[in-house]
């Protein structure tokens, strides 16, 4: 038994060393995107505004960015939420929260990808949003209207803010987004995807959380950083590493 325990410990240490080195090279944890309004590194921001306030202990956004995130056609991106008439307040809250997550979260590192765009050098891709967040977003926007399923491109910007392009008709959200999965994955060109996991599982990113209980997305980022690092290891070692993730997390926190 002692020999077995020693072997397991040595294997664990070898895996941890490999994972740490990979994480160090790729900077997956506690990082900010290289994008239009992000800080270079996360830090406390005591004055974050309203829905962005859960990130005030460690944030990639400045206080002014958080205030602008709550405005219509703000200087951030000149985006008009009411391009097909007034958006329902409950629906708009989700887009504000989406903006806060994108601008402020330091826990999106495992999903950051390089891009060649004039306004940013990095983006997020396929962030697994907790299924309740996607479902509630979709439910609260069912009575609002839009004219496009991809909000990243294809708008008419001739007035200085986005308007529906010629030939794009306004319909209820569910016309362009028939399911919660469609909404989360398509609206920002696959920045998000609907996860099969629930809030509190440690396996999906929460748009909404109570900061008094801590930031649950820190654990999620650690899990996926370790899992992604496992992908670079020899074939057959990935299942072992994933089985050791809880132990590795405890080790990293000690």
């Amino acid at each position: 038994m002692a020999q077995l325990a020693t072997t397991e410990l040595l294997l664990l240490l070898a895996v941890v060393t490999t994972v740490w080195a990979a994480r160090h090279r790729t900077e997956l944890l506690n990082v900010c995107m290289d994008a239009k309004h992000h800080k270079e590194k996360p830090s406390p921001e005591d004055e974050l505004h309203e829905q962005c306030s859960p990130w005030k202990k460690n944030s990639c956004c400045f206080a002014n960015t958080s205030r602008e995130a709550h405005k219509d056609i703000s200087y951030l991106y000149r985006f008009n939420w009411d391009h097909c008439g007034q958006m329902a307040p409950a629906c708009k809250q989700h887009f504000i929260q989406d903006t806060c997550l994108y601008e402020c979260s330091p826990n999106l590192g495992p999903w950051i990808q390089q891009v060649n765009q004039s306004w940013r050098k990095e983006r997020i891709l396929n962030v697994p949003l907790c299924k309740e967040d996607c479902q509630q977003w979709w439910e609260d926007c069912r009575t609002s209207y839009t004219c496009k399923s991809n909000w990243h491109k294809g708008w008419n910007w001739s007035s200085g803010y986005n308007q529906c392009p010629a030939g794009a008709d306004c319909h209820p959200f569910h016309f362009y987004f028939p399911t919660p999965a469609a909404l989360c994955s398509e609206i920002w060109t696959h920045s998000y995807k609907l996860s099969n996991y629930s809030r509190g599982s440690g396996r999906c990113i929460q748009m909404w959380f109570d900061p008094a209980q801590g930031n649950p997305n820190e654990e999620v980022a650690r899990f996926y950083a370790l899992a992604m690092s496992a992908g670079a290891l020899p074939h057959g070692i990935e299942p072992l590493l994933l089985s050791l993730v809880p132990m590795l997390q405890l080790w990293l926190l000690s």
Side-chain angles (χ1 to χ4, degrees):
M1 290 295 291
Q3 183 179 1
L4 179 60
T6 300
T7 301
E8 290 177 346
L9 177 59
L10 289 173
L11 180 57
L12 173 61
L13 290 175
V15 171
V16 167
T17 301
T18 303
V19 171
W20 181 88
R23 282 176 46 212
H24 182 69
R25 289 194 302 272
T26 54
E27 296 184 275
L28 298 180
L29 300 178
N30 196 38
V31 294
C32 300
M33 271 180 282
D34 187 352
K36 190 173 183 180
H37 301 290
H38 289 72
K39 295 179 182 178
E40 184 177 345
K41 296 180 180 179
S43 61
E45 283 288 338
D46 292 337
E47 302 300 323
L48 291 188
H49 191 61
E50 293 185 1
Q51 287 182 227
C52 295
S53 63
W55 288 276
K56 67 180 181 180
K57 289 185 178 180
N58 194 34
S59 174
C60 286
C61 67
F62 295 100
N64 191 48
T65 300
S66 72
R67 288 190 289 271
E68 291 293 320
H70 291 73
K71 297 179 181 179
D72 295 330
I73 316 182
S74 77
Y75 88 88
L76 294 180
Y77 303 104
R78 301 293 300 166
F79 199 90
N80 176 26
W81 307 116
D82 300 329
H83 51 267
C84 278
Q86 187 172 6
M87 180 181 282
C91 179
K92 189 172 292 186
Q93 281 190 332
H94 290 276
F95 285 98
I96 294 172
Q97 198 70 13
D98 157 44
T99 304
C100 289
L101 175 69
Y102 173 80
E103 300 289 346
C104 303
S105 177
N107 307 124
L108 301 175
W111 303 279
I112 291 177
Q113 302 284 324
Q114 290 186 342
V115 290
N116 183 19
Q117 295 177 331
S118 61
W119 56 285
R120 63 181 180 179
K121 295 181 179 179
E122 292 179 329
R123 62 162 294 184
I124 49 174
L125 183 66
N126 291 325
V127 174
L129 283 188
C130 295
K131 62 181 180 180
E132 297 93 341
D133 286 5
C134 282
Q135 289 168 352
Q136 196 61 53
W137 192 354
W138 186 76
E139 288 289 346
D140 288 343
C141 290
R142 283 176 63 86
T143 60
S144 294
Y145 284 70
T146 186
C147 56
K148 285 170 50 58
S149 59
N150 186 332
W151 287 16
H152 259 157
K153 58 186 179 180
W155 297 100
N156 173 4
W157 291 95
S158 60
S159 298
Y161 57 87
N162 62 301
Q163 295 178 302
C164 294
D169 296 328
C170 292
H171 293 286
F173 259 56
H174 60 78
F175 177 87
Y176 289 100
F177 308 110
T179 64
L183 173 63
C184 277
S185 65
E186 294 176 17
I187 195 162
W188 299 125
T189 323
H190 302 285
S191 292
Y192 304 121
K193 67 177 182 180
L194 183 149
S195 171
N196 290 325
Y197 289 103
S198 297
R199 295 175 185 168
S201 65
R203 301 294 181 268
C204 60
I205 291 292
Q206 294 183 207
M207 278 178 49
W208 306 82
F209 62 89
D210 179 3
Q213 305 298 319
N215 184 341
N217 296 329
E218 293 176 358
E219 176 188 353
V220 178
R222 284 195 297 268
F223 174 82
Y224 283 98
L226 291 171
M228 290 175 179
S229 296
L233 298 178
H235 178 71
I237 204 72
E238 293 93 336
L240 173 61
L241 179 56
L242 289 175
S243 71
L244 293 174
V245 162
M247 295 174 64
L248 289 170
Q249 290 174 329
L250 290 175
W251 184 87
L252 291 169
L253 291 173
S254 63

